[in-house]
Amino acid sequence: MKSRNSIALRAALVAGCALAPLAAHAQEATRIDPIDVDSEQASAQIANSPITGSRIDRKTLDRKQATTSDTGAVLSSLPGVSAATGGGFSSMPSIRGLSEQRLTVLVDGFAIDAACPNDMNPPLSYTDPQSISSIAVLTGVAPVSSGGDNIGGVISVESTPPQFATSGETLITGNASTYYRSNGDGFGGAVKLTVAGSNLSATYTGSYSQSDQYDGGDNDGIVRSTEYAKTDHALALAWQHATGLLQVKGGIQYAPYEGFPNQYMDMVDNKSWFLNASYAGYYDWGDIDLKAAYRDTDHEMNFLEDKLPGSMPMNTEVHSFDASAKVTVLASPHDTVRLGAEYHHQWLDDYWPPVAGNMMMGPNTFVNVNGATRDRIAGYGEWERHWSDRLSSIVGVRFDSVTMDTGDVQPYGTGMMQMADVQAAAAFNAADRHRSDGNWSGSALLVYDLSGNAALELGYAHKVRSPNIYERYSWGRGSMASRMIGWYGDGNGYVGNLDLKPERADTFSVALALGGEAQGWNLRIAPYYTRVNDYIDAAPTGVVFTDMMGQPTGFVQLQFANQDAEFYGVDLSGAVQIAKGSGNDGTQLTASVSWLEANNLSDGGPVYRQMPLDVKAGVAHRSGALELSADVEWVAEKSRVDATRGEPVTDAYALANIGAAYTVSGVRVSFDVTNLFDKGYALPLGGMSLGDYKATGVLRTVPGRGRSFNVGLSTKF
């Protein structure tokens, strides 16, 4: 890393924290790592980190990988970040009330498109806590260089950077891990192997995860449609020379099944393969970063055995291509300029084959989305200025041109029971479906050192996001067809809207960081406010779903609609070292509080799926090879609920977890107990437990996981 004064490093990271390192020795000229909020060196790092940036490193993931296979669940430990319930490895993260669809989520620097009308394969589902290297999260204002077509924060998941041997030698290194979880009989493992010379490096990474249905706490019993299995393989090649690093990476993921407790459908097959390439060049005048990627995904939904007998196949195919170029110019000792261009292409086909002998689902294939395309071309410019040793700023502007189109659609048939879809298809096919949005975004960040152990960050951003393919092009008006659309877990049906406008968000954020290593404590206070014009929410169509006896089920049909919304709150986090030993030994207390309120300004009610007050506290102790930990989380009653969707109220609850680990001869053995007292509780963002409803006829919210004894084993070589 090139040497700069401390304030230069801090402001630079605000611009670059979403872009993880390409190599240990060859990072951007203005880049450092953000705060590792869970590390024992968090206090020391705070003086050289952006206030609203956090990082979960490999050591923290080592402690968490035995307890979950869901990267989104790992992120929910950070202040301001929550996870909406999905499948066992497919929860959807939310930052300060803005859902995953509205965030920049990058895996190894690349975006991954949704490939399911229920968002069953979000970007983080293609990661595994066993095998990733780190996760960087920016909850505050994100610079324009960190990505476009979003209105929220940034999540960047990174694999291990390439390793190289010293000159004339061969490096062979790696690690392996395995785990078992008693609740759900979950098990899995991962392996990474690197073989490298001084200029060439090859790394294989593989992982496997599997679990049966889990049991809720106390007397909640089995939670149906929570089983899953998946395997990932990737091979990364890297070549370094004096001024640059070239990387090529390819991989496949296969998930034969994943239950979704709050959806009518389950995932019964997901195959995805990708090929990424990047080049990073480092020169006296600045840096250049070139990227390209292709991904192909084949996705299938149907019913797993524990949800409903029968069959209703739904298939989705997605092809996407990415290309980007960024140039960083050191214009003067005080000025850095970043210029970039991006291109993203998405092609999506969504069709539901007929079901033999079923009059409603046949005789034709239901064409839900016919070869839809979503193309985005973007350009941006960003100026970073270090006005003094204490004051720096980053200002940028970008333009994203989003063009969308799709082909004709068709219902299952033309019978009377299909008439709602017949009429809807005719209207959709007769309409002009081409849409083009020109979206201007901008951001401004100011970082000021108040003293040696206090720093202030002020931020403002105007960000714009165009609707996704399903929000614009889902057309079915029949009860069954609309209930197959939506990633909200509420049991309602959704209809697209060709007339949707892009979301336009204005965000103001303030963050204050206090403390440092000398003081043995640190504290971060970060209030924020976001106003979203044309927020894509939902409005009733007037259709109320009924059961076989014609009685209302409590579920309704909704159509995506532009409304206005606001989000405001504060995130607090801190740590204090109560004992210090030699090296990394010692005892540390950590705590965080996240409070959020979100209002739909158009209908006067709360915004759907917002996390209530969340308080966390923990203690971690390390003495040589021994690690001990205990933590507690208290979540307030969720009483502010969205009446439009019939969102349920959930009670307050508290969970306790304990853990211990010991490392001997390079082998780490861990033992954790999650939900120590087997507390029964409803997940605030869980939605309705439709898997249980189909099996029992009793409707309830999705219960949280009960007590689980988790054992982990890992080693490095």
Side-chain angles (χ1 to χ4, degrees):
M1 160 185 323
K2 297 181 181 177
S3 129
R4 306 284 297 267
N5 61 53
S6 65
I7 187 64
L9 290 171
R10 176 167 39 265
L13 177 56
V14 178
C17 76
L19 302 174
L22 291 170
H25 78 290
Q27 297 176 340
E28 287 187 20
T30 57
R31 153 110 214 214
I32 64 169
D33 286 331
I35 293 175
D36 172 10
V37 296
D38 290 305
S39 80
E40 296 159 350
Q41 289 78 35
S43 301
Q45 294 181 16
I46 195 169
N48 292 312
S49 303
I51 303 171
T52 55
S54 301
R55 178 173 172 266
I56 297 176
D57 69 355
R58 184 60 246 173
K59 290 182 179 179
T60 303
L61 292 167
D62 285 340
R63 296 195 294 269
K64 294 179 179 293
Q65 69 183 31
T67 63
T68 182
S69 297
D70 185 358
T71 303
V74 173
L75 290 175
S76 64
S77 64
L78 301 177
V81 183
S82 56
T85 303
F89 56 86
S90 300
S91 67
M92 295 167 284
S94 177
I95 295 179
R96 293 180 169 179
L98 295 173
S99 62
E100 166 244 350
Q101 300 274 348
R102 298 176 168 94
L103 309 176
T104 292
V105 182
L106 304 173
V107 177
D108 286 336
F110 298 95
I112 300 176
D113 288 321
C116 172
N118 296 156
D119 203 5
M120 290 184 175
N121 45 18
L124 293 183
S125 70
Y126 295 98
T127 66
D128 191 316
Q130 299 179 95
S131 55
I132 59 181
S133 174
S134 64
I135 314 170
V137 180
L138 183 58
T139 56
V141 166
V144 297
S145 60
S146 66
D149 199 28
N150 73 88
I151 60 173
V154 176
I155 298 172
S156 179
V157 178
E158 288 295 327
S159 303
T160 304
Q163 298 172 278
F164 297 92
T166 57
S167 181
E169 297 184 359
T170 299
L171 173 68
I172 301 177
T173 185
N175 56 63
S177 63
T178 187
Y179 68 85
Y180 173 77
R181 303 176 192 131
S182 67
N183 193 339
D185 283 330
F187 64 92
V191 63
K192 186 190 73 167
L193 176 64
T194 295
V195 178
S198 57
N199 298 106
L200 293 174
S201 176
T203 298
Y204 164 78
T205 305
S207 65
Y208 179 79
S209 298
Q210 178 179 321
S211 177
D212 293 333
Q213 302 99 326
Y214 70 75
D215 290 314
D218 197 18
N219 296 316
D220 284 338
I222 191 170
V223 182
R224 294 169 179 81
S225 301
T226 55
E227 65 270 51
Y228 63 86
K230 74 160 182 171
T231 183
D232 296 89
H233 301 276
L235 178 63
L237 305 176
W239 173 66
Q240 68 170 350
H241 61 91
T243 60
L245 177 69
L246 175 66
Q247 297 187 84
V248 178
K249 183 176 182 178
I252 59 173
Q253 183 199 74
Y254 174 54
Y257 61 89
E258 183 181 17
F260 282 76
N262 55 10
Q263 296 286 358
Y264 292 105
M265 307 299 295
D266 298 305
M267 188 171 77
V268 298
D269 193 85
N270 194 85
K271 300 183 183 72
S272 185
W273 66 270
F274 70 91
L275 183 64
N276 300 339
S278 64
Y279 175 76
Y282 304 90
Y283 309 96
D284 292 340
W285 52 266
D287 308 330
I288 185 170
D289 189 359
L290 305 176
K291 295 179 183 292
Y294 177 82
R295 180 176 286 269
D296 184 288
T297 301
D298 292 318
H299 174 75
E300 296 181 22
M301 292 194 299
N302 212 318
F303 305 117
L304 292 177
E305 292 181 0
D306 63 340
K307 180 168 284 182
L308 183 71
S311 177
M312 184 185 168
M314 299 171 61
N315 301 335
T316 307
E317 298 176 11
V318 172
H319 314 302
S320 60
F321 174 75
D322 271 297
S324 66
K326 183 177 76 171
V327 176
T328 302
V329 179
L330 304 177
S332 78
H334 304 286
D335 299 278
T336 301
V337 176
R338 299 180 187 89
L339 301 173
E342 300 169 358
Y343 172 68
H344 183 83
H345 168 74
Q346 179 186 8
W347 178 92
L348 187 149
D349 217 19
D350 192 326
Y351 57 96
W352 310 345
V355 177
N358 191 305
M359 295 180 63
M360 288 189 64
M361 294 182 285
N364 303 318
T365 294
F366 188 101
V367 180
N368 188 42
V369 179
N370 183 9
T373 58
R374 191 178 190 274
D375 294 302
R376 180 169 61 87
I377 301 175
Y380 62 84
E382 195 169 81
W383 172 43
E384 175 188 338
R385 170 75 177 178
H386 307 291
W387 303 93
S388 69
D389 287 345
R390 290 193 169 189
L391 180 66
S392 63
S393 63
I394 300 174
V395 179
V397 64
R398 69 178 291 142
F399 180 76
D400 290 82
S401 174
V402 180
T403 303
M404 300 174 62
D405 205 352
T406 190
D408 288 349
V409 298
Q410 73 174 19
Y412 277 117
T414 57
M416 289 301 297
M417 291 186 296
Q418 302 156 332
M419 195 50 59
D421 288 332
V422 171
Q423 295 173 349
F428 186 86
N429 291 338
D432 178 10
R433 300 179 295 275
H434 180 271
R435 294 293 184 270
S436 182
D437 303 322
N439 302 332
W440 285 98
S441 300
S443 65
L445 284 159
L446 186 72
V447 180
Y448 182 63
D449 261 351
L450 301 172
S451 67
N453 54 26
L456 178 69
E457 177 188 295
L458 304 175
Y460 166 75
H462 175 78
K463 297 292 184 71
V464 184
R465 179 190 81 100
S466 287
N468 64 37
I469 286 176
Y470 287 108
E471 289 168 333
R472 265 189 171 148
Y473 293 143
S474 297
W475 57 273
R477 291 274 181 166
S479 168
M480 184 276 296
S482 63
R483 281 183 290 146
M484 299 300 103
I485 307 299
W487 39 93
Y488 304 101
D490 56 5
N492 298 308
Y494 287 83
V495 181
N497 188 341
L498 287 171
D499 296 324
L500 285 178
K501 301 174 184 177
E503 296 177 325
R504 295 171 290 118
D506 293 280
T507 297
F508 301 87
S509 70
V510 180
L512 176 67
L514 303 171
E517 184 178 21
Q519 290 76 23
W521 61 272
N522 65 71
L523 175 67
R524 291 199 289 183
I525 307 170
Y528 57 89
Y529 177 85
T530 297
R531 165 67 184 254
V532 186
N533 294 313
D534 294 320
Y535 180 79
I536 298 175
D537 210 302
T541 66
V543 175
V544 177
F545 298 144
T546 58
D547 59 21
M548 297 296 291
M549 303 300 294
Q551 298 300 310
T553 62
F555 301 126
V556 299
Q557 187 181 85
L558 305 168
Q559 184 174 29
F560 294 113
N562 288 120
Q563 299 174 344
D564 294 333
E566 65 177 2
F567 303 77
Y568 56 90
V570 61
D571 297 325
L572 300 166
S573 62
V576 59
Q577 192 167 63
I578 59 176
K580 174 63 177 171
S582 60
N584 293 325
D585 289 357
T587 305
Q588 185 180 55
L589 294 175
T590 59
S592 68
V593 179
S594 294
W595 174 78
L596 162 69
E597 190 155 311
N599 300 305
N600 185 316
L601 301 177
S602 297
D603 66 16
V607 173
Y608 179 69
R609 227 176 196 180
Q610 300 298 307
M611 191 69 183
L613 177 67
D614 189 6
V615 180
K616 300 183 180 76
V619 59
H621 172 77
R622 180 166 184 169
S623 178
L626 177 66
E627 304 169 53
L628 301 173
S629 65
D631 61 81
V632 62
E633 178 180 14
W634 180 80
V635 177
E637 177 189 23
K638 182 176 174 60
S639 57
R640 302 188 77 252
V641 294
D642 181 11
T644 300
R645 289 179 166 89
E647 185 177 15
V649 171
T650 58
D651 294 333
Y653 62 90
L655 303 176
N657 311 298
I658 59 172
Y662 193 82
T663 302
V664 56
S665 300
V667 177
R668 183 179 187 272
V669 181
S670 66
F671 178 75
D672 301 272
V673 185
T674 52
N675 195 354
L676 177 65
F677 301 109
D678 200 31
K679 172 69 175 177
Y681 64 103
L683 293 166
L685 308 185
M688 308 308 297
S689 193
L690 300 178
D692 291 327
Y693 179 55
K694 288 293 183 181
T696 66
V698 177
L699 186 62
R700 62 175 178 174
T701 53
V702 177
R705 184 183 295 268
R707 179 170 49 228
S708 182
F709 299 94
N710 313 309
V711 180
L713 183 67
S714 62
T715 186
K716 299 178 181 179
F717 53 87

